[in-house]
Amino acid sequence: MKFFVDTAEVDDIRELQETGLLDGVTTNPSLIAKSGRDFKQVIAEICEIVDGPVSAEVAATDVDGMIAEGEHLAKIATNVVIKIPLTPAGLKACKHFTNKGIKTNVTLCFSANQALLAAKVGATYISPFVGRLDDINLNGMDLIADIRAIYDNYDFDTQILVASIRSINQVTESALIGADVATIPPAIIHKMYNHPLTAKGLEAFVKDWASTGQTIL
Ligand code: G3P
């Protein structure tokens, strides 16, 4: 499973890039607003830090506007992926980019039927928002399982990019289901390292090694 980080904070991305774990980055208008920085400048900087796909979302909601903005964003760097909301206009724009070989990430997906539509217009990635489904007492991971089954039934190329991740359990479940990508907030990635038994075991190893009085070098 590929790990993308879900943020527009360049410092967090740079720190995670050094772990060797990062396969890409996703941003959206809310994350860009939170960064307080110029959108196109941030995307250019992120594309310099990470070789993998970097999702940059259009702001327009009409087909022509999405196409114009998407083509402009695609010029920023070769690893820019155009993020498009899952609407009738968005899927028409997605089809345009598919036909031009420009990679797309269709976002704000909340149902299996929406994911099926996105695959049929050739979306490179589909972003189902699992956390927001959980927020309204539905089960986001059930949607991921349904999309996985549907995509496998018809051998769709669209990659399932699990988004709106709020817990490390959702990362585990995404991997168990066979999602292609998880886009994870920095804080959740850092939580994945930790286990109390690892910390406890290492503390004991360090203490017992010290008691030998030996050195390795
Ligand atoms: O990539 C989508 C993600 O940023 C949305 O997360 O927590 O706002 O639902 P959230």
Side-chain angles (χ1 to χ4, degrees):
M1 187 169 77
K2 298 186 194 92
F3 278 10
F4 290 5
V5 64
D6 194 38
T7 185
E9 301 299 331
V10 170
D11 290 344
D12 289 346
I13 295 168
R14 195 172 282 113
E15 180 189 359
L16 283 165
Q17 175 63 10
E18 288 164 11
T19 66
L21 292 170
L22 219 43
D23 298 303
V25 181
T26 55
T27 70
N28 63 40
S30 302
L31 292 171
I32 293 295
K34 189 178 171 191
S35 77
R37 293 191 54 197
D38 175 84
F39 176 33
K40 288 179 283 188
Q41 193 169 48
V42 166
I43 296 299
E45 277 185 40
I46 295 172
C47 289
E48 284 286 320
I49 298 167
V50 178
D51 294 336
V54 176
S55 289
E57 188 160 343
V58 297
T61 55
D62 63 298
V63 181
D64 293 342
M66 289 178 184
I67 289 172
E69 290 180 355
E71 289 179 341
H72 188 70
L73 292 172
K75 291 175 183 156
I76 294 173
T78 56
N79 53 325
V80 165
V81 172
I82 307 306
K83 207 171 188 186
I84 304 165
L86 209 160
T87 62
L91 295 189
K92 283 179 189 165
C94 182
K95 185 67 178 173
H96 167 87
F97 291 121
T98 301
N99 294 339
K100 293 189 73 173
I102 294 174
K103 292 189 175 177
T104 53
N105 177 358
V106 173
T107 190
L108 288 170
C109 172
F110 294 96
S111 75
N113 280 338
Q114 286 182 316
L116 183 53
L117 294 173
K120 285 183 67 66
V121 293
T124 311
Y125 301 99
I126 182 68
S127 288
F129 279 29
V130 296
R132 294 192 191 183
L133 286 167
D134 291 355
D135 288 347
I136 59 168
N137 205 29
L138 294 174
N139 187 315
M141 296 318 296
D142 286 348
L143 172 60
I144 303 302
D146 289 349
I147 297 171
R148 179 74 285 158
I150 291 168
Y151 282 15
D152 291 350
N153 284 346
Y154 301 97
D155 204 19
F156 282 124
D157 292 328
T158 301
Q159 295 182 55
I160 302 171
L161 193 166
V162 183
S164 184
I165 286 179
R166 310 274 173 83
S167 76
I168 54 176
N169 288 351
Q170 286 168 321
V171 180
T172 307
E173 288 181 70
S174 298
L176 287 169
I177 291 168
D180 301 284
V181 188
T183 192
I184 313 168
I188 302 290
I189 295 180
H190 291 303
K191 280 184 181 175
M192 290 176 66
Y193 286 99
N194 302 331
H195 194 291
L197 290 181
T198 303
K200 187 179 176 190
L202 183 58
E203 188 180 342
F205 284 164
V206 168
K207 179 169 173 282
D208 292 345
W209 176 253
S211 73
T212 70
Q214 298 180 54
T215 60
I216 293 174
L217 298 178

